[in-house]
Amino acid sequence: MTQARILFLSHSHPFGPFRVGSHHYARVLSERGADVVHLSTPISLAHRVTGRVSRQDLAAVPRHPQREANGVLHIVPRTALPAPVGAPRVARMLERAGIPAGFDAVLIDQPLLWDDSVRSLAETVVYRPTDLYPAGVKNRLQQQIVDAADGVIATSDEVLRGLGSLRVPSLVLSNGADVARFAPPVGADTARDARCVYVGALDDRFDWERVVAWARAHPQVRFAIAGPEASAPHTVPANVELLGAVPYAEVPALLHTARVGLLPLSDNPLNAGRSPMKLYEYLAAGLAVVARETPGIRERSDVGIEVYTNESDADAALERALRHPSPNQAGRDAAADASWEHRTDALQDFLRAVRRRAE
């Protein structure tokens, strides 16, 4: 059987503190025997000069294609101008890296990487939107991708609805978890202390005010906040610890010290389309979860997911999560059903169906 060749065109590279869905799909597909190339958003001279990419972050990103132990070949191009203003076409970036065309499938989640050369790289092109793009250049490029793609795999119902009417097959496939990586150590079944943890981005989608309010209302509970540039907008209570960026390899051990995982989403309307990877990573690590309710995050008290809608019910949701059995075995069982292996099964089934439709 000919080895399948898969190209991911992704918004994020794997050389920082975060892992995104494309990294996990690429890993599992490579472990299953595919030849996988993962090309991420170029780092431009403009990014470097303006400080949008720090020297420290830049130093962690290899200049040349790098193959991980799992077999995935990662490419993070260096360009003079940012995509899509003046960066080379994707076909040209691959050529410069010594990568031949002729892929079986391209999965693109970064609208800024779209150009008409992408369509020529593979028999099957699938758009995998992970966010809402209601306006701007990403919205314009997204429409071009949808018009040219053979199928769409969205990470949430809201993201799929945001695309409007589609002429091609579509699937909603939410983010999952690397269950084996996040599982607690064998025998670690002692109830955990009253500690809450958040790991992720600390941008305008994160509700600092909610965390501060929780900490003030529950001085006996400790709150650990991990993320790049972990600076709160104002002074935080003494029971809030700002950890900064935590390397991905160290995140499971951090989660194993906590009882509850936090998803304090702000009222940013783009949060409606999110499929937070941390939801299932928290559960896989044995935590209960407290989250602001969104179309993609609903209450499931049986597995330890407690939600709130506003200030009036946020404290009660946290208290329910703190009372949930610890470690959260029901949550771990639910996370197992959302493993990246299971998600990749569904992705491969979709790709096969799209190819059959085209024949």
PDB file of all heavy atoms in Angstrom, residues 139-175:
ATOM      1  N   ASN A 139     -11.553  36.672   7.177  1.00  0.00           N
ATOM      2  CA  ASN A 139     -12.887  36.363   6.677  1.00  0.00           C
ATOM      3  C   ASN A 139     -12.873  36.247   5.157  1.00  0.00           C
ATOM      4  O   ASN A 139     -13.465  35.323   4.575  1.00  0.00           O
ATOM      5  CB  ASN A 139     -13.870  37.442   7.122  1.00  0.00           C
ATOM      6  CG  ASN A 139     -15.258  37.272   6.528  1.00  0.00           C
ATOM      7  OD1 ASN A 139     -15.526  37.718   5.422  1.00  0.00           O
ATOM      8  ND2 ASN A 139     -16.128  36.609   7.259  1.00  0.00           N
ATOM      9  N   ARG A 140     -12.184  37.190   4.495  1.00  0.00           N
ATOM     10  CA  ARG A 140     -12.114  37.178   3.029  1.00  0.00           C
ATOM     11  C   ARG A 140     -11.403  35.923   2.520  1.00  0.00           C
ATOM     12  O   ARG A 140     -11.878  35.249   1.597  1.00  0.00           O
ATOM     13  CB  ARG A 140     -11.396  38.433   2.541  1.00  0.00           C
ATOM     14  CG  ARG A 140     -11.172  38.476   1.032  1.00  0.00           C
ATOM     15  CD  ARG A 140     -10.556  39.786   0.604  1.00  0.00           C
ATOM     16  NE  ARG A 140      -9.271  40.045   1.236  1.00  0.00           N
ATOM     17  CZ  ARG A 140      -8.118  39.517   0.839  1.00  0.00           C
ATOM     18  NH1 ARG A 140      -8.096  38.676  -0.186  1.00  0.00           N
ATOM     19  NH2 ARG A 140      -6.986  39.821   1.450  1.00  0.00           N
ATOM     20  N   LEU A 141     -10.274  35.596   3.139  1.00  0.00           N
ATOM     21  CA  LEU A 141      -9.530  34.414   2.714  1.00  0.00           C
ATOM     22  C   LEU A 141     -10.288  33.131   3.039  1.00  0.00           C
ATOM     23  O   LEU A 141     -10.249  32.167   2.277  1.00  0.00           O
ATOM     24  CB  LEU A 141      -8.158  34.404   3.382  1.00  0.00           C
ATOM     25  CG  LEU A 141      -7.191  35.485   2.891  1.00  0.00           C
ATOM     26  CD1 LEU A 141      -5.975  35.559   3.796  1.00  0.00           C
ATOM     27  CD2 LEU A 141      -6.768  35.204   1.449  1.00  0.00           C
ATOM     28  N   GLN A 142     -10.980  33.137   4.168  1.00  0.00           N
ATOM     29  CA  GLN A 142     -11.781  31.964   4.536  1.00  0.00           C
ATOM     30  C   GLN A 142     -12.821  31.661   3.474  1.00  0.00           C
ATOM     31  O   GLN A 142     -13.038  30.491   3.122  1.00  0.00           O
ATOM     32  CB  GLN A 142     -12.468  32.211   5.883  1.00  0.00           C
ATOM     33  CG  GLN A 142     -13.408  31.094   6.300  1.00  0.00           C
ATOM     34  CD  GLN A 142     -13.961  31.314   7.691  1.00  0.00           C
ATOM     35  OE1 GLN A 142     -13.528  30.693   8.640  1.00  0.00           O
ATOM     36  NE2 GLN A 142     -14.922  32.203   7.829  1.00  0.00           N
ATOM     37  N   GLN A 143     -13.452  32.682   2.926  1.00  0.00           N
ATOM     38  CA  GLN A 143     -14.452  32.446   1.889  1.00  0.00           C
ATOM     39  C   GLN A 143     -13.815  31.848   0.640  1.00  0.00           C
ATOM     40  O   GLN A 143     -14.395  30.972  -0.012  1.00  0.00           O
ATOM     41  CB  GLN A 143     -15.163  33.757   1.541  1.00  0.00           C
ATOM     42  CG  GLN A 143     -16.347  33.556   0.614  1.00  0.00           C
ATOM     43  CD  GLN A 143     -17.353  32.570   1.168  1.00  0.00           C
ATOM     44  OE1 GLN A 143     -17.875  32.762   2.263  1.00  0.00           O
ATOM     45  NE2 GLN A 143     -17.633  31.495   0.419  1.00  0.00           N
ATOM     46  N   GLN A 144     -12.602  32.292   0.335  1.00  0.00           N
ATOM     47  CA  GLN A 144     -11.898  31.716  -0.811  1.00  0.00           C
ATOM     48  C   GLN A 144     -11.586  30.234  -0.573  1.00  0.00           C
ATOM     49  O   GLN A 144     -11.697  29.412  -1.491  1.00  0.00           O
ATOM     50  CB  GLN A 144     -10.607  32.493  -1.074  1.00  0.00           C
ATOM     51  CG  GLN A 144     -10.818  33.911  -1.549  1.00  0.00           C
ATOM     52  CD  GLN A 144      -9.501  34.657  -1.755  1.00  0.00           C
ATOM     53  OE1 GLN A 144      -8.457  34.036  -1.930  1.00  0.00           O
ATOM     54  NE2 GLN A 144      -9.561  35.976  -1.730  1.00  0.00           N
ATOM     55  N   ILE A 145     -11.193  29.914   0.648  1.00  0.00           N
ATOM     56  CA  ILE A 145     -10.904  28.514   0.971  1.00  0.00           C
ATOM     57  C   ILE A 145     -12.160  27.666   0.842  1.00  0.00           C
ATOM     58  O   ILE A 145     -12.148  26.586   0.230  1.00  0.00           O
ATOM     59  CB  ILE A 145     -10.330  28.380   2.400  1.00  0.00           C
ATOM     60  CG1 ILE A 145      -9.052  29.193   2.557  1.00  0.00           C
ATOM     61  CG2 ILE A 145     -10.054  26.909   2.721  1.00  0.00           C
ATOM     62  CD1 ILE A 145      -8.554  29.269   3.987  1.00  0.00           C
ATOM     63  N   VAL A 146     -13.261  28.141   1.409  1.00  0.00           N
ATOM     64  CA  VAL A 146     -14.518  27.392   1.362  1.00  0.00           C
ATOM     65  C   VAL A 146     -14.948  27.162  -0.089  1.00  0.00           C
ATOM     66  O   VAL A 146     -15.432  26.076  -0.446  1.00  0.00           O
ATOM     67  CB  VAL A 146     -15.611  28.136   2.156  1.00  0.00           C
ATOM     68  CG1 VAL A 146     -16.982  27.519   1.903  1.00  0.00           C
ATOM     69  CG2 VAL A 146     -15.289  28.115   3.645  1.00  0.00           C
ATOM     70  N   ASP A 147     -14.752  28.155  -0.926  1.00  0.00           N
ATOM     71  CA  ASP A 147     -15.139  28.018  -2.334  1.00  0.00           C
ATOM     72  C   ASP A 147     -14.306  26.969  -3.065  1.00  0.00           C
ATOM     73  O   ASP A 147     -14.776  26.353  -4.031  1.00  0.00           O
ATOM     74  CB  ASP A 147     -15.008  29.368  -3.051  1.00  0.00           C
ATOM     75  CG  ASP A 147     -16.052  30.379  -2.614  1.00  0.00           C
ATOM     76  OD1 ASP A 147     -17.061  29.953  -2.022  1.00  0.00           O
ATOM     77  OD2 ASP A 147     -15.846  31.583  -2.843  1.00  0.00           O
ATOM     78  N   ALA A 148     -13.064  26.777  -2.614  1.00  0.00           N
ATOM     79  CA  ALA A 148     -12.156  25.862  -3.318  1.00  0.00           C
ATOM     80  C   ALA A 148     -12.023  24.496  -2.669  1.00  0.00           C
ATOM     81  O   ALA A 148     -11.578  23.541  -3.315  1.00  0.00           O
ATOM     82  CB  ALA A 148     -10.765  26.498  -3.425  1.00  0.00           C
ATOM     83  N   ALA A 149     -12.411  24.368  -1.404  1.00  0.00           N
ATOM     84  CA  ALA A 149     -12.169  23.132  -0.648  1.00  0.00           C
ATOM     85  C   ALA A 149     -13.133  22.021  -1.050  1.00  0.00           C
ATOM     86  O   ALA A 149     -14.214  22.264  -1.586  1.00  0.00           O
ATOM     87  CB  ALA A 149     -12.277  23.405   0.850  1.00  0.00           C
ATOM     88  N   ASP A 150     -12.722  20.793  -0.723  1.00  0.00           N
ATOM     89  CA  ASP A 150     -13.552  19.610  -0.981  1.00  0.00           C
ATOM     90  C   ASP A 150     -14.388  19.223   0.232  1.00  0.00           C
ATOM     91  O   ASP A 150     -15.292  18.396   0.120  1.00  0.00           O
ATOM     92  CB  ASP A 150     -12.665  18.426  -1.363  1.00  0.00           C
ATOM     93  CG  ASP A 150     -11.821  18.724  -2.593  1.00  0.00           C
ATOM     94  OD1 ASP A 150     -12.400  18.945  -3.665  1.00  0.00           O
ATOM     95  OD2 ASP A 150     -10.580  18.752  -2.463  1.00  0.00           O
ATOM     96  N   GLY A 151     -14.071  19.793   1.379  1.00  0.00           N
ATOM     97  CA  GLY A 151     -14.793  19.469   2.596  1.00  0.00           C
ATOM     98  C   GLY A 151     -14.383  20.408   3.709  1.00  0.00           C
ATOM     99  O   GLY A 151     -13.386  21.129   3.610  1.00  0.00           O
ATOM    100  N   VAL A 152     -15.177  20.411   4.796  1.00  0.00           N
ATOM    101  CA  VAL A 152     -14.933  21.274   5.950  1.00  0.00           C
ATOM    102  C   VAL A 152     -15.063  20.462   7.218  1.00  0.00           C
ATOM    103  O   VAL A 152     -16.047  19.730   7.408  1.00  0.00           O
ATOM    104  CB  VAL A 152     -15.936  22.457   5.989  1.00  0.00           C
ATOM    105  CG1 VAL A 152     -15.807  23.232   7.294  1.00  0.00           C
ATOM    106  CG2 VAL A 152     -15.730  23.379   4.802  1.00  0.00           C
ATOM    107  N   ILE A 153     -14.062  20.580   8.100  1.00  0.00           N
ATOM    108  CA  ILE A 153     -14.118  19.988   9.437  1.00  0.00           C
ATOM    109  C   ILE A 153     -13.979  21.129  10.429  1.00  0.00           C
ATOM    110  O   ILE A 153     -12.892  21.698  10.580  1.00  0.00           O
ATOM    111  CB  ILE A 153     -13.011  18.946   9.667  1.00  0.00           C
ATOM    112  CG1 ILE A 153     -13.106  17.806   8.662  1.00  0.00           C
ATOM    113  CG2 ILE A 153     -13.081  18.406  11.092  1.00  0.00           C
ATOM    114  CD1 ILE A 153     -11.985  16.785   8.788  1.00  0.00           C
ATOM    115  N   ALA A 154     -15.067  21.512  11.084  1.00  0.00           N
ATOM    116  CA  ALA A 154     -15.056  22.618  12.040  1.00  0.00           C
ATOM    117  C   ALA A 154     -14.909  22.085  13.460  1.00  0.00           C
ATOM    118  O   ALA A 154     -15.327  20.961  13.759  1.00  0.00           O
ATOM    119  CB  ALA A 154     -16.342  23.427  11.914  1.00  0.00           C
ATOM    120  N   THR A 155     -14.334  22.918  14.329  1.00  0.00           N
ATOM    121  CA  THR A 155     -14.123  22.471  15.711  1.00  0.00           C
ATOM    122  C   THR A 155     -15.329  22.714  16.610  1.00  0.00           C
ATOM    123  O   THR A 155     -15.332  22.290  17.761  1.00  0.00           O
ATOM    124  CB  THR A 155     -12.892  23.165  16.313  1.00  0.00           C
ATOM    125  OG1 THR A 155     -13.011  24.584  16.132  1.00  0.00           O
ATOM    126  CG2 THR A 155     -11.612  22.674  15.672  1.00  0.00           C
ATOM    127  N   SER A 156     -16.348  23.406  16.114  1.00  0.00           N
ATOM    128  CA  SER A 156     -17.567  23.592  16.910  1.00  0.00           C
ATOM    129  C   SER A 156     -18.731  23.889  15.976  1.00  0.00           C
ATOM    130  O   SER A 156     -18.544  24.297  14.822  1.00  0.00           O
ATOM    131  CB  SER A 156     -17.406  24.732  17.926  1.00  0.00           C
ATOM    132  OG  SER A 156     -17.422  25.997  17.279  1.00  0.00           O
ATOM    133  N   ASP A 157     -19.947  23.708  16.497  1.00  0.00           N
ATOM    134  CA  ASP A 157     -21.146  24.024  15.715  1.00  0.00           C
ATOM    135  C   ASP A 157     -21.181  25.500  15.341  1.00  0.00           C
ATOM    136  O   ASP A 157     -21.594  25.869  14.239  1.00  0.00           O
ATOM    137  CB  ASP A 157     -22.400  23.669  16.518  1.00  0.00           C
ATOM    138  CG  ASP A 157     -22.595  22.168  16.659  1.00  0.00           C
ATOM    139  OD1 ASP A 157     -22.457  21.453  15.658  1.00  0.00           O
ATOM    140  OD2 ASP A 157     -22.885  21.709  17.780  1.00  0.00           O
ATOM    141  N   GLU A 158     -20.759  26.367  16.290  1.00  0.00           N
ATOM    142  CA  GLU A 158     -20.774  27.801  16.026  1.00  0.00           C
ATOM    143  C   GLU A 158     -19.817  28.165  14.898  1.00  0.00           C
ATOM    144  O   GLU A 158     -20.127  28.999  14.046  1.00  0.00           O
ATOM    145  CB  GLU A 158     -20.412  28.577  17.301  1.00  0.00           C
ATOM    146  CG  GLU A 158     -21.502  28.604  18.346  1.00  0.00           C
ATOM    147  CD  GLU A 158     -22.746  29.332  17.863  1.00  0.00           C
ATOM    148  OE1 GLU A 158     -22.614  30.483  17.392  1.00  0.00           O
ATOM    149  OE2 GLU A 158     -23.849  28.767  17.944  1.00  0.00           O
ATOM    150  N   VAL A 159     -18.644  27.560  14.898  1.00  0.00           N
ATOM    151  CA  VAL A 159     -17.685  27.831  13.832  1.00  0.00           C
ATOM    152  C   VAL A 159     -18.237  27.372  12.488  1.00  0.00           C
ATOM    153  O   VAL A 159     -18.099  28.067  11.476  1.00  0.00           O
ATOM    154  CB  VAL A 159     -16.333  27.149  14.136  1.00  0.00           C
ATOM    155  CG1 VAL A 159     -15.429  27.118  12.908  1.00  0.00           C
ATOM    156  CG2 VAL A 159     -15.625  27.877  15.273  1.00  0.00           C
ATOM    157  N   LEU A 160     -18.888  26.222  12.462  1.00  0.00           N
ATOM    158  CA  LEU A 160     -19.479  25.740  11.215  1.00  0.00           C
ATOM    159  C   LEU A 160     -20.589  26.673  10.745  1.00  0.00           C
ATOM    160  O   LEU A 160     -20.670  27.025   9.565  1.00  0.00           O
ATOM    161  CB  LEU A 160     -20.007  24.321  11.398  1.00  0.00           C
ATOM    162  CG  LEU A 160     -20.555  23.647  10.136  1.00  0.00           C
ATOM    163  CD1 LEU A 160     -19.463  23.500   9.082  1.00  0.00           C
ATOM    164  CD2 LEU A 160     -21.163  22.283  10.464  1.00  0.00           C
ATOM    165  N   ARG A 161     -21.457  27.098  11.669  1.00  0.00           N
ATOM    166  CA  ARG A 161     -22.539  28.009  11.294  1.00  0.00           C
ATOM    167  C   ARG A 161     -21.992  29.327  10.746  1.00  0.00           C
ATOM    168  O   ARG A 161     -22.593  29.944   9.860  1.00  0.00           O
ATOM    169  CB  ARG A 161     -23.447  28.277  12.503  1.00  0.00           C
ATOM    170  CG  ARG A 161     -24.530  27.233  12.701  1.00  0.00           C
ATOM    171  CD  ARG A 161     -25.572  27.701  13.693  1.00  0.00           C
ATOM    172  NE  ARG A 161     -25.071  27.670  15.052  1.00  0.00           N
ATOM    173  CZ  ARG A 161     -25.170  26.616  15.860  1.00  0.00           C
ATOM    174  NH1 ARG A 161     -25.727  25.498  15.430  1.00  0.00           N
ATOM    175  NH2 ARG A 161     -24.706  26.674  17.089  1.00  0.00           N
ATOM    176  N   GLY A 162     -20.842  29.749  11.274  1.00  0.00           N
ATOM    177  CA  GLY A 162     -20.246  30.998  10.826  1.00  0.00           C
ATOM    178  C   GLY A 162     -19.811  30.983   9.373  1.00  0.00           C
ATOM    179  O   GLY A 162     -19.561  32.044   8.791  1.00  0.00           O
ATOM    180  N   LEU A 163     -19.728  29.797   8.774  1.00  0.00           N
ATOM    181  CA  LEU A 163     -19.325  29.692   7.369  1.00  0.00           C
ATOM    182  C   LEU A 163     -20.488  29.889   6.408  1.00  0.00           C
ATOM    183  O   LEU A 163     -20.276  30.032   5.196  1.00  0.00           O
ATOM    184  CB  LEU A 163     -18.689  28.326   7.103  1.00  0.00           C
ATOM    185  CG  LEU A 163     -17.437  27.990   7.914  1.00  0.00           C
ATOM    186  CD1 LEU A 163     -16.954  26.593   7.573  1.00  0.00           C
ATOM    187  CD2 LEU A 163     -16.341  29.011   7.687  1.00  0.00           C
ATOM    188  N   GLY A 164     -21.708  29.865   6.922  1.00  0.00           N
ATOM    189  CA  GLY A 164     -22.872  29.996   6.055  1.00  0.00           C
ATOM    190  C   GLY A 164     -23.183  28.700   5.327  1.00  0.00           C
ATOM    191  O   GLY A 164     -22.753  27.612   5.727  1.00  0.00           O
ATOM    192  N   SER A 165     -23.919  28.811   4.243  1.00  0.00           N
ATOM    193  CA  SER A 165     -24.327  27.644   3.470  1.00  0.00           C
ATOM    194  C   SER A 165     -23.126  27.054   2.738  1.00  0.00           C
ATOM    195  O   SER A 165     -22.330  27.782   2.135  1.00  0.00           O
ATOM    196  CB  SER A 165     -25.408  28.038   2.474  1.00  0.00           C
ATOM    197  OG  SER A 165     -25.792  26.937   1.679  1.00  0.00           O
ATOM    198  N   LEU A 166     -22.981  25.729   2.808  1.00  0.00           N
ATOM    199  CA  LEU A 166     -21.842  25.048   2.192  1.00  0.00           C
ATOM    200  C   LEU A 166     -22.317  24.138   1.065  1.00  0.00           C
ATOM    201  O   LEU A 166     -23.386  23.537   1.141  1.00  0.00           O
ATOM    202  CB  LEU A 166     -21.093  24.213   3.230  1.00  0.00           C
ATOM    203  CG  LEU A 166     -20.456  24.965   4.402  1.00  0.00           C
ATOM    204  CD1 LEU A 166     -19.857  23.981   5.393  1.00  0.00           C
ATOM    205  CD2 LEU A 166     -19.379  25.929   3.906  1.00  0.00           C
ATOM    206  N   ARG A 167     -21.475  23.992   0.052  1.00  0.00           N
ATOM    207  CA  ARG A 167     -21.773  23.098  -1.068  1.00  0.00           C
ATOM    208  C   ARG A 167     -21.024  21.778  -0.951  1.00  0.00           C
ATOM    209  O   ARG A 167     -21.167  20.906  -1.808  1.00  0.00           O
ATOM    210  CB  ARG A 167     -21.366  23.778  -2.382  1.00  0.00           C
ATOM    211  CG  ARG A 167     -19.890  24.094  -2.447  1.00  0.00           C
ATOM    212  CD  ARG A 167     -19.398  24.504  -3.818  1.00  0.00           C
ATOM    213  NE  ARG A 167     -17.961  24.720  -3.819  1.00  0.00           N
ATOM    214  CZ  ARG A 167     -17.067  23.740  -3.864  1.00  0.00           C
ATOM    215  NH1 ARG A 167     -17.460  22.482  -3.921  1.00  0.00           N
ATOM    216  NH2 ARG A 167     -15.765  24.018  -3.844  1.00  0.00           N
ATOM    217  N   VAL A 168     -20.195  21.653   0.102  1.00  0.00           N
ATOM    218  CA  VAL A 168     -19.340  20.474   0.257  1.00  0.00           C
ATOM    219  C   VAL A 168     -19.668  19.776   1.580  1.00  0.00           C
ATOM    220  O   VAL A 168     -20.286  20.366   2.462  1.00  0.00           O
ATOM    221  CB  VAL A 168     -17.847  20.856   0.228  1.00  0.00           C
ATOM    222  CG1 VAL A 168     -17.468  21.392  -1.140  1.00  0.00           C
ATOM    223  CG2 VAL A 168     -17.516  21.869   1.328  1.00  0.00           C
ATOM    224  N   PRO A 169     -19.268  18.514   1.737  1.00  0.00           N
ATOM    225  CA  PRO A 169     -19.517  17.813   3.000  1.00  0.00           C
ATOM    226  C   PRO A 169     -18.845  18.526   4.172  1.00  0.00           C
ATOM    227  O   PRO A 169     -17.785  19.144   4.012  1.00  0.00           O
ATOM    228  CB  PRO A 169     -18.892  16.435   2.769  1.00  0.00           C
ATOM    229  CG  PRO A 169     -18.795  16.286   1.299  1.00  0.00           C
ATOM    230  CD  PRO A 169     -18.592  17.657   0.745  1.00  0.00           C
ATOM    231  N   SER A 170     -19.468  18.423   5.337  1.00  0.00           N
ATOM    232  CA  SER A 170     -18.917  19.072   6.526  1.00  0.00           C
ATOM    233  C   SER A 170     -19.061  18.161   7.733  1.00  0.00           C
ATOM    234  O   SER A 170     -19.892  17.243   7.755  1.00  0.00           O
ATOM    235  CB  SER A 170     -19.614  20.408   6.798  1.00  0.00           C
ATOM    236  OG  SER A 170     -20.993  20.201   7.078  1.00  0.00           O
ATOM    237  N   LEU A 171     -18.252  18.431   8.740  1.00  0.00           N
ATOM    238  CA  LEU A 171     -18.232  17.641   9.970  1.00  0.00           C
ATOM    239  C   LEU A 171     -17.828  18.563  11.106  1.00  0.00           C
ATOM    240  O   LEU A 171     -16.958  19.426  10.933  1.00  0.00           O
ATOM    241  CB  LEU A 171     -17.219  16.498   9.849  1.00  0.00           C
ATOM    242  CG  LEU A 171     -16.951  15.638  11.090  1.00  0.00           C
ATOM    243  CD1 LEU A 171     -18.175  14.789  11.430  1.00  0.00           C
ATOM    244  CD2 LEU A 171     -15.718  14.753  10.869  1.00  0.00           C
ATOM    245  N   VAL A 172     -18.454  18.394  12.263  1.00  0.00           N
ATOM    246  CA  VAL A 172     -18.009  19.069  13.482  1.00  0.00           C
ATOM    247  C   VAL A 172     -17.212  18.073  14.303  1.00  0.00           C
ATOM    248  O   VAL A 172     -17.715  17.013  14.670  1.00  0.00           O
ATOM    249  CB  VAL A 172     -19.194  19.622  14.300  1.00  0.00           C
ATOM    250  CG1 VAL A 172     -18.712  20.176  15.646  1.00  0.00           C
ATOM    251  CG2 VAL A 172     -19.921  20.706  13.520  1.00  0.00           C
ATOM    252  N   LEU A 173     -15.968  18.404  14.557  1.00  0.00           N
ATOM    253  CA  LEU A 173     -15.066  17.524  15.290  1.00  0.00           C
ATOM    254  C   LEU A 173     -14.340  18.380  16.319  1.00  0.00           C
ATOM    255  O   LEU A 173     -13.384  19.082  15.999  1.00  0.00           O
ATOM    256  CB  LEU A 173     -14.087  16.867  14.313  1.00  0.00           C
ATOM    257  CG  LEU A 173     -13.314  15.628  14.772  1.00  0.00           C
ATOM    258  CD1 LEU A 173     -14.262  14.539  15.266  1.00  0.00           C
ATOM    259  CD2 LEU A 173     -12.455  15.102  13.632  1.00  0.00           C
ATOM    260  N   SER A 174     -14.827  18.356  17.543  1.00  0.00           N
ATOM    261  CA  SER A 174     -14.252  19.209  18.581  1.00  0.00           C
ATOM    262  C   SER A 174     -12.859  18.730  18.969  1.00  0.00           C
ATOM    263  O   SER A 174     -12.456  17.602  18.659  1.00  0.00           O
ATOM    264  CB  SER A 174     -15.162  19.231  19.815  1.00  0.00           C
ATOM    265  OG  SER A 174     -15.248  17.936  20.388  1.00  0.00           O
ATOM    266  N   ASN A 175     -12.130  19.596  19.643  1.00  0.00           N
ATOM    267  CA  ASN A 175     -10.785  19.234  20.086  1.00  0.00           C
ATOM    268  C   ASN A 175     -10.840  18.114  21.109  1.00  0.00           C
ATOM    269  O   ASN A 175     -11.856  17.905  21.787  1.00  0.00           O
ATOM    270  CB  ASN A 175     -10.082  20.452  20.667  1.00  0.00           C
ATOM    271  CG  ASN A 175      -9.603  21.402  19.596  1.00  0.00           C
ATOM    272  OD1 ASN A 175      -9.100  20.975  18.564  1.00  0.00           O
ATOM    273  ND2 ASN A 175      -9.762  22.702  19.819  1.00  0.00           N
TER     274      ASN A 175
END
